Every structure is written in C-alpha cells, then in structure tokens.
Amino acid sequence: MSSTKEFDWEAFDTKGFGEGYSKEQRAQMEAMYAGTLNEITEKEVIKGVVVGVNDKDVIINIGFKSDGLVPLSEFRDVAGIKPGDEVEVFIEEQENALGQLILSRKKAKIVRAWQDIESALENDSVIEGLVKRRTKGGLIVDIYGVEAFLPGSQIDVKPIRDFDIYVGKKMEVKVVKINHANDNVVVSHKVLIEKDLEKQKAEILNNLEKGQVLEGVIKNMTNFGVFIDLGGVDGLLHITDISWGRINHPEEVLQLDQKVQIVVLDFDDDKRRISLGMKQLTAHPWDSLASSLEIGSRVQGKIVNVADYGAFLELAPGVEGLIHVSEMSWSQHLRNPADFVKVGDEIEAVVLTLDKDDRKMSLGIKQLTEDPWTKQDMVTKYAVGTKHKGVVRNLTNFGLFLELEEGIDGLVHVSDLSWTKKIKHPSEFVKVGDELDVAVLELDVDNRRLALGHKQLEENPWDTFETVFPVGSIHKCTVNSKNDKGAVLELPYGLEGFATSKNLEKEDGSQVEVGESLDFRVTEFSKDDKRIVLSHTATFREEAKAPKKAAATGGKKNESVEMPAQAEKSTLGDIDALAELKEKMEGKK
C-alpha cells in the first residue's frame, strides 16, 4: 500500500497460524484487511458478481468478507446464469447463526420494482406491462413484477364490454396512484389515449362543417339514438336520422362498436353538441318512386303505425301514406282503426291524393270494394215498403240511426217508433247495439238518405181507436200525474189522455188526485195528432156533456150530441172489430 511501508513478513515468528504477532503488528494487519472489504447495510439492494453456480445455489460476491448464497430458483427468469454475471441482490442478514451472509434476488427485484414505480409516478413516465388476468372491475397488469390494478374505466376512452381480449397482451400504462399501506398500484392506459385524442379532437373541431362526411364508431345506444365517437369527439345520431324508414330502436339496424359513415347535420357555436345523420347519405326514397304511381293506383304495403285517426301504410322504407279511418269502411259510423288493421299487416290500398313535392300521400281501403249506394240493386233492395233489420249505431234527440249493412244507414224518427207511446227520446225505446226491424219510408239515392220506420210494421191502431173513443164516450181512466195545467190519464191499452184542471172536479167539489181511477168522458179525439182529451166533471154535469168540435172528423161537427147509455159505457173489449187488436197488444205486455 502507498500509505504504509512494506510489511516485513520475515520479522514474524511463524510458530503457528495467527501466532507470533505483536499487538501493533496485529492492528496493522487488520487495518490492511479491512481496507479490502465493502461497507454493507442490511435491508438494502446492492450489486454483486456471480462467482459460482451449483445445483442449488448461486454464489455471489458483494465485496464482503464472505460470499453469499442465493437459491438457484430465484434465477428462473434468467437464461444461463454463469460466473462473471452482475446481478442485484437484497441483503437480508450480514451474518446468520452459522456466520453466513444471507442474500435474496427476489426481494431485490421487489424493492427495485417499487423504486421504479415511484419514479414512474413522480416523473409521469410510461411503463410497459403485461396483462395477467381479468378481475372484478378491470384488469391485473404486471409491471416490474408487481401486480397493478387497471380499472375498466381507464382502459380506453370508449366503454369496454369484453375485458378478456386484453389478457396475455402487453400494454403501455402510466402509474396514477400508489397506496403504500396496502401495496396497491393503480395504472391507466386511457390517459395515454386521451393525450393523442386531444390533438385529434382539436383538429376535428377546427375543420368541422355542415355536410362534412366522417367515419365514427358507435360507442353507446339509447332508445332515441346512438352516440358516435368521431375520434375523441362525440356526436348524436338521432333515431329519425338513421333510416328513411321507421325503426323502433337503433339496435334493429346498428350494433355497438360498428364503424359507420355519417354526415354532420348541425352543431352549436361551441361545437359541444354535434348532430349527425346517416340516411342523408342516400337519396330520399320519394325521389325514386315509380313515375306510374298516380291517384287511383293500387299499392301494396305494410302497416307500420296505428293511431286514433287512422293508420300509416309503408310502401317502401321512407315512403308512407295515411289511411284515414273514414277511408277504411263505407260505414258512416267511424270506429277505431284497430278494428280494421294492426301493425305488421300486409294490405292493398288505393291512392287517393299524392303530393310528391311535400312527400304526402293519402290512401283508402274501402275503395277496393264497391260503394253500396251505387250498386245496381240499391233501388229495388231498399224500395219504399220493404222490410229490413238493422243495428242501432247512434241515438239523437230526434231519432236514431240504423245501419242496415256496411255503408247503408237510415234514420228512424222518434215519432216513427211507436203508434201508441209518446217517446220523448229514443233511449226510452232502444239502446245502441240493439237490433231493430224497420220498414223503408223514403229512399233518396242521390243524397244518400234513407227514412225508416218501426211502427209502420203494424197497422195504425188509431184507425180503430177512432171508433172506440168517439167524443162523448165514457171510459175508466187512472190519473198518472198532475201539474198546473191538468192531469195525464192512463186509458185502456196503454193510451194516454189529458184532462184540464177544471175538468178534474168531482161531484162533491173536490179534485181528482193522482192514482185514482174514475170515469172520464171523451171531449176531443184527434187521430192525426194522437190526442185524446177527457173530462171527469162532464160525467155528472149535463152542461159539460156537450162535445167540442172533433178533430177526427176533419173539422166536421159531431151531429150526435148525446149517445145512448149503452154506447157511452162501451169498452174496447165489447167491440168485435177490436178483438184482434186487443189480443196483439195484450200479447206484447
């Protein structure tokens, strides 16, 4: 050594190894030996040189007073480890109970890995890792031998639905978080993509203009449309701009992750909302309609929508016509369109109106059949006096409408429902949906009017009543109701009569009350007005017995002022001419 003089080995007595040294000589010798050794600290990583390899261990010299042993199994990742190779090892113990130096390459790798990971986080550097497996919510990535967690949301800028495709592949990541307490590392691949996308996004937005055709990838689907990734910029393709035809959901024609060509329709000033279109890349189907299509043409199509007012028939994707409910049947009584068609039906229709400029078309299906009012047998089938049966379709204050067949309706006036009953509203007699027998009273084909009657199916009983209730005759009547003007009386066979208040006075001076049954004398009879006026007072006052002018005689005076007692007390049952009528009316009760 340069700092010490040459040592004189001859001066020592070599009686035995380690013997014959003076105190000074021993100190000098130890100082020389210590100068050849390294200062080492436990629990740190240090570089060493392989000096030997056997079946179980690798012998490593780290410049300490003794070599260390590392199990050969810790070098499985190194092909052909041999003397002279330099490796990093972790000093676990300088000297164990046997005086051996304990080293570990495995722990050295772990310590070095954490140092590299911390450095990567601090310097925001990119690390290449190997995706080992899938886990809940993401992937496990091996970086420097440490398992790091890559959340699913940090894999890519677009949603990832299949994590398995990344397993076994290398991936560049950045360390975004280290939890030393749990030895957890969180990494991200998305941040690398986002940096690249920022430039691409800025370029797209700067060059964005209406009518521009772009390529994008479908990243999300909703019931109102799809969101398309244009390269860091998202745009909305509304469901109505996907196809010229009707679709209920985008998934009917598109798929997630599908690459599509779209056109920019519009965007706001900040270019944060971009509206896209797909159908606009193809010609409108209305422009390719056959030139032969015109009013009156028969067309085939599919019902794509049914509303309260009608149904839409699709002739081709994007070409639809409205079939109004009034054009579905010749019937004048509008029903629900669902009674005639349903979505998906393949039907034929006739073009009623056509406007190619406004792309509107109205269709009809009733025109496929003949209008019943124009049929040749219409005049003979519904001639005056013919009898028919129909269904009550509608009730009004003045009568009811009866459908005899589809498209053929007739009016039954309220006055033509019954000969004997005073019907104020048709609902007192029938209800909607009932069947009713009628006779044709009047037919007007040009104006499509048909007058019907129900009471005309029977003979007019008032012709007979004229002989039964002559003026002056007396009949047993029941008071049904009273008002200020008089009382309504119930006559035999369900007929009604009327008595004024002054004609309700009894012989004792009191008034006839509701519910009483007394004799009344006929003072007026009108067959045309179906009116019978009576008086109880006239049954006991001679001056009141004189009959008024009879409307039934058409203005002629009744020459018979007084009638025989037998005639005055006559009833319907006593007259042979009314026996048949009585049986009919009693049979209806």
Side-chain angles (χ1 to χ4, degrees):
M1 295 184 181
S2 60
S3 60
T4 60
K5 59 183 179 179
E6 192 71 25
F7 188 78
D8 185 7
W9 289 100
E10 298 291 334
F12 287 92
D13 181 10
T14 56
K15 297 179 179 178
F17 185 78
E19 297 179 356
Y21 296 101
S22 67
K23 196 171 187 178
E24 292 179 359
Q25 291 173 333
R26 181 181 293 275
Q28 185 183 9
M29 185 174 171
E30 288 178 355
M32 290 176 58
Y33 179 68
T36 65
L37 301 177
N38 292 327
E39 291 282 343
I40 64 172
T41 304
E42 292 184 359
K43 313 302 179 186
E44 73 171 1
V45 177
I46 192 171
K47 287 187 177 181
V49 178
V50 177
V51 295
V53 179
N54 58 36
D55 293 340
K56 294 182 179 181
D57 302 303
V58 176
I59 304 167
I60 298 176
N61 178 17
I62 62 172
F64 195 52
K65 60 183 179 180
S66 63
D67 294 333
L69 298 179
V70 177
L72 183 61
S73 60
E74 293 189 15
F75 290 89
R76 288 176 181 172
D77 59 327
V78 180
I81 188 72
K82 62 186 182 299
D85 291 345
E86 190 176 71
V87 297
E88 285 188 330
V89 291
F90 179 80
I91 302 172
E92 293 198 62
E93 290 183 78
Q94 291 186 16
E95 193 173 354
N96 65 1
L98 300 176
Q100 292 179 329
L101 174 65
I102 307 302
L103 305 175
S104 173
R105 182 172 180 270
K106 181 178 180 182
K107 290 185 178 180
K109 289 174 62 179
I110 294 174
V111 171
R112 182 62 66 191
W114 278 101
Q115 291 174 349
D116 291 340
I117 290 171
E118 289 175 351
S119 176
L121 176 62
E122 183 178 346
N123 299 319
D124 193 32
S125 55
V126 179
I127 305 172
E128 184 176 79
L130 176 66
V131 180
K132 296 182 66 175
R133 63 183 182 277
R134 176 180 178 175
T135 188
K136 184 178 181 181
L139 299 170
I140 298 298
V141 182
D142 185 330
I143 53 173
Y144 302 130
V146 176
E147 291 189 346
F149 176 57
L150 175 59
S153 61
Q154 294 299 314
I155 297 175
D156 206 333
V157 291
K158 61 183 179 181
I160 301 298
R161 283 163 285 277
D162 185 10
F163 292 171
D164 293 330
I165 60 174
Y166 296 97
V167 176
K169 295 181 180 179
K170 291 183 178 181
M171 180 182 292
E172 288 187 334
V173 295
K174 277 190 175 184
V175 179
V176 294
K177 184 179 180 182
I178 297 176
N179 188 336
H180 292 283
N182 299 320
D183 289 340
N184 287 339
V185 180
V186 180
V187 296
S188 172
H189 177 67
K190 178 180 177 181
V191 294
L192 300 177
I193 302 175
E194 286 177 334
K195 284 191 175 182
D196 295 335
L197 288 179
E198 283 300 320
K199 296 180 181 178
Q200 188 175 346
K201 180 179 179 180
E203 185 178 350
I204 292 174
L205 292 178
N206 290 334
N207 299 324
L208 195 65
E209 58 183 25
K210 294 180 182 180
Q212 184 179 12
V213 178
L214 301 172
E215 184 178 77
V217 178
I218 297 174
K219 63 183 295 186
N220 192 22
M221 281 191 178
T222 67
N223 57 356
F224 58 84
V226 298
F227 289 94
I228 297 182
D229 181 3
L230 305 175
V233 180
D234 288 350
L236 174 62
L237 173 61
H238 196 269
I239 187 171
T240 56
D241 291 313
I242 294 176
S243 169
W244 290 114
R246 284 179 183 255
I247 58 175
N248 297 316
H249 197 281
E251 63 186 6
E252 295 178 13
V253 292
L254 299 173
Q255 296 178 346
L256 288 171
D257 301 325
Q258 179 182 347
K259 283 187 177 181
V260 291
Q261 292 282 331
I262 36 74
V263 60
V264 178
L265 301 181
D266 199 5
F267 51 82
D268 60 12
D269 294 337
D270 297 331
K271 297 182 180 178
R272 293 181 179 178
R273 295 182 180 179
I274 304 174
S275 297
L276 306 173
M278 181 179 290
K279 70 181 184 182
Q280 289 80 2
L281 294 174
T282 59
H284 198 291
W286 270 88
D287 299 333
S288 58
L289 284 178
S291 57
S292 60
L293 186 67
E294 57 185 14
I295 294 175
S297 298
R298 289 197 174 194
V299 293
Q300 290 275 356
K302 181 175 70 174
I303 299 295
V304 292
N305 189 31
V306 178
D308 294 337
Y309 52 86
F312 289 91
L313 186 71
E314 184 182 61
L315 310 186
V319 180
E320 297 178 5
L322 172 64
I323 307 174
H324 194 269
V325 65
S326 62
E327 303 299 340
M328 293 183 175
S329 169
W330 289 110
S331 175
Q332 299 301 308
H333 304 286
L334 298 183
R335 305 203 294 272
N336 192 310
D339 295 338
F340 300 96
V341 295
K342 64 180 183 296
V343 174
D345 284 351
E346 299 275 352
I347 64 170
E348 188 178 26
V350 176
V351 178
L352 304 181
T353 64
L354 180 63
D355 188 342
K356 292 186 178 180
D357 294 332
D358 290 339
R359 294 168 178 170
K360 293 181 179 179
M361 183 190 314
S362 62
L363 307 170
I365 54 178
K366 73 180 184 182
Q367 289 77 9
L368 297 172
T369 59
E370 186 179 359
D371 183 352
W373 280 94
T374 61
K375 291 182 179 179
Q376 292 182 351
D377 64 344
M378 180 68 188
V379 176
T380 56
K381 184 176 181 179
Y382 295 104
V384 174
T386 56
K387 297 179 180 180
H388 305 275
K389 178 177 288 188
V391 178
V392 178
R393 292 298 185 192
N394 191 25
L395 301 179
T396 68
N397 291 331
F398 55 84
L400 60 91
F401 287 94
L402 197 73
E403 186 177 50
L404 303 181
E405 64 175 273
E406 184 177 327
I408 301 295
D409 290 3
L411 172 65
V412 182
H413 196 271
V414 66
S415 62
D416 290 316
L417 290 174
S418 174
W419 289 112
T420 58
K421 295 181 180 178
K422 290 186 177 180
I423 301 172
K424 296 180 180 179
H425 194 276
S427 59
E428 301 173 12
F429 193 82
V430 292
K431 61 180 182 293
V432 174
D434 287 351
E435 287 189 340
L436 188 68
D437 291 316
V438 292
V440 178
L441 304 182
E442 182 183 345
L443 175 64
D444 185 349
V445 176
D446 294 336
N447 294 313
R448 296 173 178 255
R449 292 179 182 174
L450 192 61
L452 307 171
H454 174 68
K455 70 181 184 181
Q456 287 78 6
L457 296 174
E458 299 177 352
E459 294 183 4
N460 188 353
W462 285 87
D463 293 335
T464 305
F465 293 156
E466 187 176 19
T467 62
V468 176
F469 299 99
V471 174
S473 60
I474 298 175
H475 306 273
K476 182 74 73 174
C477 301
T478 302
V479 180
N480 281 342
S481 61
K482 286 179 65 177
N483 55 33
D484 295 340
K485 295 181 180 180
V488 177
L489 310 175
E490 182 183 349
L491 280 70
Y493 299 98
L495 291 179
E496 287 186 350
F498 184 75
T500 60
S501 297
K502 66 179 183 179
N503 287 301
L504 295 176
E505 184 181 348
K506 295 183 181 179
E507 194 168 2
D508 59 4
S510 63
Q511 286 283 315
V512 177
E513 299 300 330
V514 175
E516 290 189 83
S517 295
L518 302 171
D519 286 340
F520 282 78
R521 183 185 295 275
V522 178
T523 58
E524 277 188 59
F525 181 89
S526 174
K527 180 177 71 173
D528 296 335
D529 296 333
K530 300 179 181 61
R531 185 177 74 250
I532 303 176
V533 181
L534 304 100
S535 172
H536 172 68
T537 307
T539 60
F540 59 85
R541 286 186 182 174
E542 291 300 327
E543 66 272 14
K545 293 181 181 180
K548 295 182 180 180
K549 187 182 295 184
T553 60
K556 295 182 180 179
K557 293 184 179 180
N558 192 335
E559 297 178 358
S560 177
V561 177
E562 294 188 8
M563 300 182 67
Q566 290 182 348
E568 290 179 356
K569 294 291 183 179
S570 63
T571 64
L572 258 109
D574 298 329
I575 302 176
D576 293 339
L578 292 180
E580 184 178 352
L581 177 62
K582 179 180 178 182
E583 291 177 1
K584 288 181 179 180
M585 297 185 74
E586 288 179 345
K588 291 182 179 180
K589 292 182 180 180

